[in-house]
Amino acid sequence: MTIRPRRSVLYMPGSNARALEKARTLDADSLILDLEDAVAPDVKELARQQICDAVAAGGYGHREVVIRINGLDTPWGHDDLAAAVKAKPDAILVPKVSKASDVFTVTGHMGHADPAIKLWAMMETPLGMLKAGEIAATADDRGARLTAFVMGTNDLAKETGARLENGRSGMLAWLSICVAAACAHGLAIMDGVYNDFRDEEGLEAECLQGRDFGMDGKTLIHPGQIAAANRIFAPDEAEVAAARDVIAAFELPENAGKGAINLNGRMVERMHADMAAKTVALAEAISGRE
Ligand code: COA
Ligand code: MG
């Protein structure tokens, strides 16, 4: 089993050359080089050039590199997409995906571009919440590129009036619907950003909440947020040890024919051994890169 850790997914404005440079040394699992909301209209072209130069120059090591383009219905979207395809990042992040055809439109424009270039979808519109299952299902098609959902909680707040404060209670249904849609079709899913980047306690609470929802990681806006996300979205030592115990128990000859066993007073089923294998694979993938 191979798992790609996506505990910490850091956005940076494509217009900020210093951030693009600094990212080569930061301990984030993935980087989103942004052309959309973090870049003002009059520096869109400059940002596009800087991002493409940075991706071509490389040096990002194990970090997954993702370019977020402007929507195809904006003056910049088509040029962003063409430039991103040439730059060959690991993935292109498409903003405001609201229905399956939004994914097909982008893949259509990508044509025969390198199949290694995947698509990530921003889940951030009210319609996108209602159509999450249909959007995720595009991953099942032959030649599909969609591999991940990214929650856009700031846009959801803007479009609906639901608040980001108080445990995001107005958004819980959308977060869990998107997790279900992603899991139903084998996609990764990363939680939305925590804007108050000096508030460590608040960030930790929201990482824990996202983790408990089943998110693979969290999108971040500042390097100071990386360590908390890396820690909280990774299994800790005790979890890994417990997972190894479960795997070992099912490997014993006396348990070979059993579906459920007693492990130190707890019922453990074969599905727990599958979950344990995932935990161990994630832990190994993380330690393999450090
Ligand atoms: N990626 C990489 N480096 C970053 C960074 C990021 N997202 N945010 C800050 N840095 C760097 C700064 O360049 C600075 O580096 P230096 O000390 O080596 O010069 C260092 O981290 C400290 O930055 P700080 O002064 O604390 O923050 P700031 O006031 O310069 O910037 C923000 C604050 C919010 C404007 C900035 O963090 C940012 O642009 N974040 C990303 C926004 C974004 O992409 N939004 C779109 C998706 S929601
Ligand atoms: Mg957005």
Side-chain angles (χ1 to χ4, degrees):
M1 189 185 303
T2 50
I3 291 188
R4 178 146 209 169
R6 295 194 177 93
R7 301 163 297 170
S8 49
V9 180
L10 178 67
Y11 281 103
M12 65 208 61
S15 48
N16 183 344
R18 171 126 192 91
L20 296 176
E21 175 61 36
K22 204 178 166 80
R24 294 191 170 90
T25 61
L26 296 173
D27 189 25
D29 289 333
S30 312
L31 307 168
I32 299 177
L33 318 184
D34 191 23
L35 289 168
E36 201 219 12
D37 286 349
V39 177
D42 51 346
V43 286
K44 293 282 189 192
E45 274 90 14
L46 167 78
R48 188 191 297 138
Q49 192 59 50
Q50 285 190 169
I51 283 182
C52 291
D53 291 349
V55 176
Y60 288 101
H62 62 69
R63 298 165 197 80
E64 187 172 31
V65 176
V66 181
I67 298 177
R68 183 165 77 170
I69 61 171
N70 288 283
L72 293 185
D73 57 348
T74 70
W76 311 283
H78 285 278
D79 289 343
D80 287 351
L81 181 59
V85 161
K86 265 199 210 147
K88 293 197 183 175
D90 293 299
I92 294 170
L93 175 55
V94 184
K96 300 182 175 62
V97 174
S98 296
K99 49 195 186 308
S101 63
D102 293 345
V103 178
F104 296 135
T105 302
V106 176
T107 34
H109 283 289
M110 289 175 76
H112 297 292
D114 188 339
I117 307 174
K118 301 306 177 192
L119 285 184
W120 289 11
M122 288 298 306
M123 298 299 287
E124 56 183 347
T125 65
L127 189 58
M129 298 304 101
L130 299 175
K131 304 257 183 197
E134 137 184 338
I135 294 166
T138 65
D140 300 341
D141 293 349
R142 203 147 52 90
R145 295 180 187 266
L146 188 69
T147 56
F149 272 178
V150 176
M151 297 309 301
T153 41
N154 278 329
D155 269 281
L156 283 166
K158 172 177 168 237
E159 296 301 320
T160 65
R163 306 259 172 145
L164 294 163
E165 294 78 21
N166 301 321
R168 305 188 289 180
S169 57
M171 298 195 177
L172 301 186
W174 304 329
L175 296 173
S176 53
I177 272 290
C178 287
V179 168
C183 293
H185 299 283
L187 304 179
I189 177 165
M190 282 70 80
D191 204 353
V193 300
Y194 189 73
N195 296 322
D196 192 356
F197 61 82
R198 306 266 187 239
D199 172 10
E200 280 177 37
E201 240 176 75
L203 173 70
E204 288 196 7
E206 212 172 90
C207 285
L208 287 167
Q209 183 196 33
R211 181 200 67 182
D212 291 354
F213 262 98
M215 301 280 173
D216 295 299
K218 192 161 179 70
T219 49
L220 310 172
I221 49 169
H222 192 277
Q225 298 183 314
I226 296 172
N230 280 350
R231 173 168 44 82
I232 292 169
F233 286 97
D236 64 25
E237 269 178 41
E239 278 173 283
V240 177
R244 289 193 196 281
D245 286 348
V246 171
I247 295 167
F250 275 106
E251 280 170 356
L252 291 174
E254 61 264 37
N255 292 331
K258 293 186 188 161
I261 57 173
N262 169 352
L263 184 66
N264 308 324
R266 288 188 63 178
M267 180 196 69
V268 178
E269 295 180 304
R270 286 198 177 265
M271 70 161 140
H272 296 114
D274 296 342
M275 289 167 70
K278 221 171 141 186
T279 300
V280 170
L282 177 59
E284 284 175 352
I286 291 165
S287 64
R289 70 176 33 184
E290 280 157 0

